[in-house]
Amino acid sequence: MAHASRNADDVKTFLKSWEKYDSQQTIDFYDRWAQTYEQDSEIIKYRCPNMVVDFLHANYPGGRGDAQVLDVACGSGLVARLMSEVGFRNFVGVDGSKGMLALAEKTGLYQDLRLALLGTEPLPADTGMFDVVVIAGALRHEHAPVSIIRELCHAATPGGYVCMSRVDLSSEVGRTYRQRMEQELQQMEDQGLWRHVASAEMKDYMMDISELDSDQYLTGTMHLYQKAARLH
């Protein structure tokens, strides 16, 4: 089926059709979206993966070639592709959609791909295994609960890094999610689980899909934390 005639309003209408249903309906939605995901990402100018990888590359002090990377909510593999361009070579991907994982597999970049829906199933990663844990685009109220952040930290090696991007919505649920996430980040730092390395605004990273015929863009925030080398 050809999708060459899709435009921004078509993509917005499709994305607005998704709501937070039960787990199976969420998976079904993303499996359907896999058919046009990369084309749609270009149409709505989805630049989150580029911004996150640029941010990580600028702030990560470790070596690239031997680093073990856990790509959480990996989708079709956009983040791994960009990370491979700056020297990273070893990737394990996690996503809740078989359709998305099939696309990720086609990149040939992942040593392993694991199926799990964030917040519904435990993150399928052993504790202390990854030098870099990255999650781009999935930290928002309808995608992943704030509680997933501790699982990201657990997956990192002692001294490893966790890179996250959050969608900053102006709605009440968006503001609540941001507040809860900021509280969790600070609490984990206070508990000695990790230290804050860097944060940056993610400006105009994607078209705002809430309104048709709108040229507004969404903003977000990126964070990089380093897991404690030795827990207190």
Side-chain angles (χ1 to χ4, degrees):
M1 180 177 178
H3 301 284
S5 61
R6 285 171 73 86
N7 59 34
D9 283 351
D10 293 330
V11 179
K12 290 180 181 182
T13 299
F14 173 72
L15 294 180
K16 288 176 69 175
S17 72
W18 180 79
E19 296 180 16
K20 186 63 175 179
Y21 300 122
D22 62 34
S23 300
Q24 188 57 53
Q25 289 170 314
T26 299
I27 291 168
D28 290 345
F29 175 86
Y30 278 92
D31 284 344
R32 292 197 308 275
W33 194 16
Q35 300 174 35
T36 58
Y37 177 74
E38 295 199 354
Q39 177 189 342
D40 290 352
S41 295
E42 292 185 9
I43 291 172
I44 60 175
K45 297 180 171 59
Y46 181 59
R47 297 186 286 254
C48 175
N50 304 72
M51 292 180 177
V52 168
V53 173
D54 287 347
F55 170 71
L56 174 64
H57 184 50
N59 291 284
Y60 176 67
R64 272 65 171 160
D66 294 329
Q68 300 295 315
V69 179
L70 180 65
D71 183 6
V72 181
C74 65
S76 66
L78 294 175
V79 167
R81 289 182 200 172
L82 294 166
M83 289 183 70
S84 71
E85 293 175 5
V86 296
F88 292 93
R89 294 289 178 264
N90 306 295
F91 300 95
V92 171
V94 176
D95 202 90
S97 163
K98 289 182 179 179
M100 291 293 187
L101 290 177
L103 294 177
E105 185 175 15
K106 290 180 181 179
T107 67
L109 295 171
Y110 293 91
Q111 283 71 54
D112 193 13
L113 289 163
R114 303 171 183 176
L115 183 67
L117 189 64
L118 299 181
T120 301
E121 303 165 282
L123 185 67
D126 293 335
T127 299
M129 289 295 293
F130 295 92
D131 302 294
V132 178
V133 179
V134 59
I135 181 168
L139 288 178
R140 53 189 298 169
H141 70 279
E142 71 269 61
H143 283 75
V146 169
S147 60
I148 191 67
I149 293 171
R150 286 185 184 257
E151 296 185 64
L152 304 177
C153 182
H154 291 327
T157 59
Y161 290 78
V162 179
C163 184
M164 302 164 280
S165 75
R166 180 189 65 231
V167 182
D168 291 337
L169 301 175
S170 60
S171 63
E172 182 177 352
V173 291
R175 293 193 302 270
T176 298
Y177 188 93
R178 177 174 181 167
Q179 181 182 37
R180 289 176 178 171
M181 180 172 166
E182 295 292 344
Q183 290 173 343
E184 180 75 341
L185 295 175
Q186 185 61 55
Q187 185 176 48
M188 290 173 65
E189 190 168 10
D190 293 343
Q191 291 170 346
L193 298 177
W194 60 14
R195 72 175 185 91
H196 176 252
V197 176
S199 294
E201 182 183 12
M202 190 167 57
K203 186 177 181 181
D204 296 346
Y205 77 90
M206 187 184 83
M207 287 182 178
D208 186 348
I209 67 166
S210 62
E211 297 291 339
L212 299 180
D213 300 318
S214 170
D215 58 359
Q216 297 299 307
Y217 283 76
L218 297 176
T219 60
T221 304
M222 298 175 288
H223 296 293
L224 184 66
Y225 281 81
Q226 184 183 23
K227 186 174 177 177
R230 182 180 301 171
L231 299 182
H232 302 293

